[in-house]
RNA sequence: CGGGGUGUAGCUCAGCCUGGUAGAGCGCUGCGUUUGGGACGCAGAGGCCCACAGUUCGAAUCUGUGCACCCCGACCA
């Protein structure tokens, strides 16, 4: 491609709207252009990268045995009602109406469509296992788009769905996708760690997110420094910091005026927070049925821990949680600031973290303003409906997996997600196949998402320097950036540069040819910003010496390569860069 | 949805407090000089100052109401 025929310009300064390196550089290089919040145009530069990523995804999906299809982005709303997600998706679902006033939705994902498709096509066990995938535009009306391509409202996702006869089949399908994902991210130059993720109310026994670790990320994960256990904080298990055993002591009321927080209480009594019980109370509501009565839930965790609302929500079967209003807490005899599970109203469901069961003689509230109780013990002063893991893992906690390592936290961006779905959708859409015995069987499903735009953002975030992007060779918009200097002055050089461009293209290389009449500084700076892996400089000086200069964007010294060997040299250099990505 | 911030040239921003003919740098166009790391001179083009409604003789500037965008949080099958 000749730059004189190119569309999209480089920017010397980053637009004010961009904060992260990936966002700034993609804008400055002229790869993307924002139309509105969370909606971007891909310019020729970015589009070439996107097609490279998609090609890698296709290769690995096909190699894993998946079959590519293309489903509609526009969907009838009734399939969302059938799966029960029309309400659950809430405002994130883009809705519209056709001219016959039929309610429609723009697909935020395609479980409904694919399951209906499978149900209409598949008839017998001979039709499974099958994994279908597509590369599709998804629409989600995100409350807050952010980070350039990281969280957007219209985006490209590779989504795959597997259908298997049984759990063992799902194991194989899921495993194949898991391995394919590892290869895709490695080949795209985006390091990821698979972390255990919450599978939500939707169920399923295993769900993993592929996280690219970056301080610019919006997800928080915990990682064990010893065994490598990695999990989303929502899901992470941990060992509660132990407290010394004690014999149960007698309950003793204490006057604690104006002491409504754990911090204040611990300071007032001169005890560590782990000697206190923290109470948090919610109303649980049914997201599918606004008219259903809300259920009061009272959660107790040790004072040094925090409530993990995702774990709590899973216990409650996916209900939404909101804080109890003052009127509601008053109606159950709960006194905020002095709330206590002791003597609580029987209508309230009491959920206790496992930390409480092993921590004797805690200071808890008394449900009387200005008063707490010392030496409260579970099963003696009060009883719990549930004793579960309902606390949030934090940095410094001990790993539950190996029991020895210490958990640390890190930020990251979710690049992909593999998920054992189970039977939810196949049952909702009555997808059945006949088995060998002639019995109707419901297939078990898995789903596997991968954010193409995020892979691009992650690749840039991972590979850049103060001068610009350093594209991984596998997804670079071009293989070679041919920079010709002083074309206007040296007709012989100009004709040789044109010839070189033709020659490199004929050798199978994708070449961006800077044939503009600009100064060397402008050209070199643009080349650095755009970040093509190999830069070839043709100048009068080199031309006279019968060489060109080759520089790798990633670093190192330039090589002077004899003119006759340039094409083969570059083909080899490109192969070398690609092989480093696996 | 809560909190904060910003809307002026393609980009980065001044001007607003204290109302009186729309500004700078970069970029863009033409001519000339330059040419291995964002050159220089000369001449130009480019604006509904986010929108609407007020106040005023007069509004980019003051007031109100919207809208958009960004950041933090909530949310994120």
């Amino acid at each position: 491609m000749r730059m004189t025929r190119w569309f999209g310009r480089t920017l010397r300064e980053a637009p004010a709207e961009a904060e992260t390196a990936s966002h700034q550089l993609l804008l400055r290089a002229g790869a993307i252009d924002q139309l509105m919040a969370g909606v971007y145009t891909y310019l020729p530069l970015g589009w070439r990268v996107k097609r490279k990523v998609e090609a890698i995804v296709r290769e690995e999906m096909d190699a894993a045995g998946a079959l590519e299809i293309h489903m509609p982005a526009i969907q009838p709303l009734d399939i969302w009602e059938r799966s029960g997600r029309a309400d659950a998706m809430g405002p994130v679902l883009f809705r519209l109406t056709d001219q016959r006033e039929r309610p429609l939705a723009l697909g935020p994902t395609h479980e409904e469509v694919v399951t209906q498709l499978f149900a209409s096509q598949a008839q017998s066990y001979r039709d499974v296992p099958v994994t279908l995938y597509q590369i599709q535009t998804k629409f989600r009306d995100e409350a807050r788009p952010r980070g350039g391509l990281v969280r957007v409202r219209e985006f490209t996702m590779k989504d795959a769905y597997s259908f298997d006869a049984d759990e063992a089949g799902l194991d194989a399908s899921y495993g194949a996708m898991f391995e394919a994902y590892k290869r895709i991210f490695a080949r795209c130059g985006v390091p990821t760690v698979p972390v255990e993720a919450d599978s939500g109310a939707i169920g399923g026994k295993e769900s993993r997110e592929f996280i690219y670790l970056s301080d610019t990320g919006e997800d928080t994960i915990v990682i064990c420094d010893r065994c490598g256990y990695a999990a989303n904080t929502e899901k992470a298990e941990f060992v509660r910091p132990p407290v010394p055993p004690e014999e149960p002591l007698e309950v003793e009321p204490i006057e604690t005026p104006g002491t409504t927080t754990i911090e204040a209480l611990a300071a007032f009594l001169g005890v560590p927070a782990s000697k206190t019980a923290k109470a948090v109370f919610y109303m649980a509501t049914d997201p599918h049925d606004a008219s259903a009565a809300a259920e009061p839930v009272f959660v107790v965790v040790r004072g040094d821990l925090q409530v993990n609302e995702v774990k709590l929500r899973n216990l409650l079967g996916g209900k939404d949680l909101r804080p109890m209003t003052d009127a509601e807490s008053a109606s159950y005899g709960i006194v905020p600031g002095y709330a206590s599970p002791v003597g609580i109203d029987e209508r309230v469901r009491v959920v206790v973290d496992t930390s409480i069961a092993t921590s004797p003689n805690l200071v808890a509230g008394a449900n009387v303003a200005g008063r707490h109780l010392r030496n409260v013990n579970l099963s003696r002063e009060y009883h719990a409906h549930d004793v579960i893991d309902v606390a949030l893992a934090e940095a410094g906690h001990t790993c539950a997996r190996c029991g020895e390592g210490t958990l640390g936290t890190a930020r990251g961006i979710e690049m992909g997600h593999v998920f054992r779905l189970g039977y939810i959708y196949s049952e909702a859409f009555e997808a059945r196949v006949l088995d060998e015995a002639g019995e109707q069987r419901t297939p078990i499903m898995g789903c596997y998402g991968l954010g193409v735009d995020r892979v691009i953002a992650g690749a840039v975030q991972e590979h850049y320097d103060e001068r610009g992007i350093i594209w991984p060779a596998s997804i670079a918009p071009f293989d070679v950036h041919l920079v010709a200097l002083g074309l206007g002055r040296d007709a012989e050089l100009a004709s040789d540069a044109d010839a070189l461009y033709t020659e490199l293209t004929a050798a199978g290389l994708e070449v961006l040819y800077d044939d503009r009449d600009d100064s060397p500084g402008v050209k070199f700076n643009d080349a650095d910003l755009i970040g093509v892996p190999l830069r070839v400089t043709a100048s009068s000086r080199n031309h006279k010496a019968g060489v060109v200069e080759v520089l790798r964007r990633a670093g190192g010294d330039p090589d002077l390569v004899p003119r006759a060997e340039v094409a083969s040299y570059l083909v080899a250099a490109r192969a070398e860069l690609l092989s480093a990505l696996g």
Side-chain angles (χ1 to χ4, degrees), chain A residues 503-578:
Chain A
E503 200 177 312
L504 296 181
T505 304
L509 295 165
E510 293 177 348
V511 183
L512 180 60
Y513 176 23
D514 193 345
D515 59 340
R516 298 174 302 173
D517 184 23
D518 269 307
S519 70
V522 170
K523 294 189 173 199
F524 288 142
N525 278 294
D526 274 349
D528 289 340
L529 177 58
I530 291 169
V532 173
L534 296 165
R535 189 185 85 191
V536 173
T537 308
S539 65
S540 298
R541 190 171 87 188
N542 291 342
H543 182 61
K544 287 191 183 67
V547 299
V548 298
E549 177 193 282
V550 177
L551 182 69
R552 285 160 180 75
R553 179 63 182 85
D557 294 325
D559 279 343
L560 290 175
V561 179
R563 173 66 182 81
E565 297 167 19
V566 183
S568 58
Y569 179 96
L570 291 171
V571 168
R574 175 176 173 276
E576 194 179 308
L577 291 172
L578 284 175

Side-chain angles (χ1 to χ4, degrees), chain A residues 75 151 200 222 245 438 528:
Chain A
Q75 307 170 2
R151 177 167 291 275
V222 301
D528 289 340

